Amino acid sequence: MSAAHLGIVRVLTSDDREFVGTHGRVIAARYGIATESRCIPGQPHGIHDADTEALAVPKIVELARDLAADGAGCVLISCAADPALAETRAAVDVPVVGAGSAAAAVASGLGGRIGVLGLNDAAPRPIADLLGDRLVASVRPDGVRRTTDLLEPGADERALAACRRMVDAGAEVILFACTGLTTIGLADRVRAEIGVPAVDAVLAAGLLASYALH
Amino acid sequence: MSAAHLGIVRVLTSDDREFVGTHGRVIAARYGIATESRCIPGQPHGIHDADTEALAVPKIVELARDLAADGAGCVLISCAADPALAETRAAVDVPVVGAGSAAAAVASGLGGRIGVLGLNDAAPRPIADLLGDRLVASVRPDGVRRTTDLLEPGADERALAACRRMVDAGAEVILFACTGLTTIGLADRVRAEIGVPAVDAVLAAGLLASYALH
């Protein structure tokens, strides 16, 4: 095991260290690797459209440079939309993982036909690009438009029903394109009650990072 | 950690238990999962052309069914050509991983442009299919046509030179499409001397299987 740690770019701004470290803690607990999470400056609402993504790109590249300079052996851009992924790979000498393409990659290795569960009817672009015609369906749970909607009563059953519809349509693997689905522990229920693997974006990114750091 | 183990299909016939268990031991040592390896019958020379692949397909499906019935929580078809992958996924209820598509998947999550090092000038079909236009180069080391050629004096330097040519051509990640490259420990040298990640087919398959078994 290498001594190098995983540098995590959170693509929003927050002073709440507990919140900022959420993804890093999940990855550290599952894969036993050290992580350091930092935020980009000046974007408390994160990335929510093309303008805020464009604004974030140079900040993500700069933050990744800082993390690598401070000893990170791998950098994770922890967002399913993979903002600034190509630019960051061009800028730093360590492997760079994006949560969206990592989830698509892991799902591609576990099944030939993938269903994407998220907050939008369309899969995030980097996930759709990487899956190509292996993407057989992309849905959101009924009544769910924001990640907080997943905490409402019955949302887990509606999310599970959405997964079941995709499996009935031929999906062999479910990909979670929203980290709110990690929080409600849906992956274990998809496996136990529907019988297919569920791939979470943060855990998939941690899996690939653990490989790169070994 | 689930109690379920990984069932490994070796796509050749051998009575040498030490040899048959090679891939399983590498995976067990790296990921801490239990493995059971079994061979298909009647093919001491494995799969080496379209006829021997067609002959092997029903045997692989049958062996995977047996492994799953005996408690395997995931099945690995341990060959970079992914023989019978779709047929096996259709036949058993547990996740099925093929070493070729697993390596392509892991490489896709670690970089946008992939170079494939193998025993042929062309990448194995399932790897080329999954990578699509992310496959920027596919080469074999000078003078190497069989896996045993990799054990000749100077073969490691020639393999490293081939990797360097692909990185110069734009590859961000090197994918090993031959398990002989694991044996000579080339991945660590690619990382240390060239500075890019190297993805090994058996280890990539074990990585995805460890995710599915968790």
Side-chain angles (χ1 to χ4, degrees):
Chain A
M1 174 81 70
S2 163
H5 65 276
L6 173 64
I8 300 179
V9 175
R10 298 300 310 265
V11 298
L12 45 62
T13 311
S14 170
D15 288 331
D16 181 344
R17 292 176 64 88
E18 173 79 13
F19 169 74
V20 171
T22 314
H23 297 177
R25 283 195 303 277
V26 168
I27 290 169
R30 174 89 164 240
Y31 305 111
I33 54 180
T35 66
E36 182 192 356
S37 300
R38 294 188 200 167
C39 293
I40 59 170
Q43 295 196 221
H45 301 292
I47 292 175
H48 46 86
D49 58 20
D51 286 348
T52 47
E53 178 164 351
L55 195 65
V57 167
K59 300 176 187 177
I60 292 168
V61 172
E62 182 66 21
L63 185 48
R65 275 207 187 96
D66 290 347
L67 286 162
D70 292 344
C74 180
V75 169
L76 163 58
I77 300 171
S78 200
C79 170
D82 282 1
L85 181 58
E87 294 87 342
T88 305
R89 282 179 172 156
V92 303
D93 283 336
V94 298
V96 180
V97 173
S101 48
V106 172
S108 294
L110 292 176
R113 294 185 299 274
I114 320 293
V116 175
L117 186 68
L119 300 182
N120 299 292
D121 294 318
R125 191 186 41 74
I127 293 175
D129 283 354
L130 201 145
L131 292 180
D133 60 10
R134 291 183 297 277
L135 174 61
V136 294
S138 178
V139 302
R140 58 182 178 79
D142 289 341
V144 171
R145 293 207 170 269
R146 291 173 305 181
T147 186
T148 47
D149 292 340
L150 289 165
L151 304 173
E152 298 290 322
D156 53 346
E157 292 303 330
R158 282 178 273 125
L160 217 52
C163 293
R164 216 170 253 125
R165 287 200 301 275
M166 291 195 283
V167 171
D168 289 344
E172 297 169 318
V173 178
I174 302 297
L175 186 163
F176 292 166
C178 164
T179 57
L181 296 161
T182 319
T183 314
I184 66 170
L186 200 71
D188 288 346
R189 291 194 62 190
V190 168
R191 192 155 18 176
E193 298 177 35
I194 309 183
V196 300
V199 175
D200 169 83
V202 172
L203 287 174
L207 184 78
L208 297 186
S210 74
Y211 189 86
L213 284 169
H214 192 276
Chain B
M1 174 77 72
S2 162
H5 65 274
L6 174 64
I8 300 179
V9 175
R10 297 300 310 264
V11 298
L12 45 63
T13 311
S14 170
D15 289 329
D16 181 344
R17 293 177 63 90
E18 173 80 12
F19 168 75
V20 172
T22 314
H23 297 179
R25 283 195 303 278
V26 168
I27 290 170
R30 174 89 164 240
Y31 305 112
I33 55 181
T35 66
E36 181 191 359
S37 300
R38 295 188 199 166
C39 292
I40 59 169
Q43 295 197 220
H45 300 292
I47 292 175
H48 46 87
D49 58 19
D51 286 348
T52 48
E53 177 164 352
L55 196 65
V57 167
K59 301 176 186 176
I60 292 169
V61 172
E62 182 67 20
L63 185 48
R65 272 207 188 95
D66 290 347
L67 286 163
D70 291 344
C74 180
V75 170
L76 164 59
I77 300 170
S78 201
C79 171
D82 284 359
L85 181 58
E87 294 87 343
T88 305
R89 283 180 172 157
V92 302
D93 284 336
V94 299
V96 181
V97 173
S101 49
V106 172
S108 293
L110 292 177
R113 294 186 299 273
I114 320 294
V116 175
L117 185 69
L119 300 182
N120 298 292
D121 294 318
R125 191 187 40 75
I127 292 175
D129 284 354
L130 201 144
L131 293 180
D133 59 11
R134 291 183 296 277
L135 175 62
V136 294
S138 178
V139 303
R140 59 180 178 78
D142 289 341
V144 171
R145 294 205 169 271
R146 292 172 305 180
T147 186
T148 46
D149 292 339
L150 289 165
L151 305 173
E152 297 292 321
D156 52 347
E157 293 302 330
R158 284 179 271 124
L160 216 51
C163 293
R164 215 171 254 127
R165 288 200 301 275
M166 291 195 282
V167 172
D168 289 343
E172 297 169 318
V173 177
I174 301 296
L175 186 163
F176 293 166
C178 164
T179 56
L181 296 162
T182 317
T183 313
I184 65 170
L186 199 73
D188 287 345
R189 292 194 61 189
V190 169
R191 193 157 15 178
E193 297 176 35
I194 308 182
V196 300
V199 175
D200 168 83
V202 172
L203 286 175
L207 184 77
L208 297 186
S210 73
Y211 190 86
L213 284 169
H214 192 276

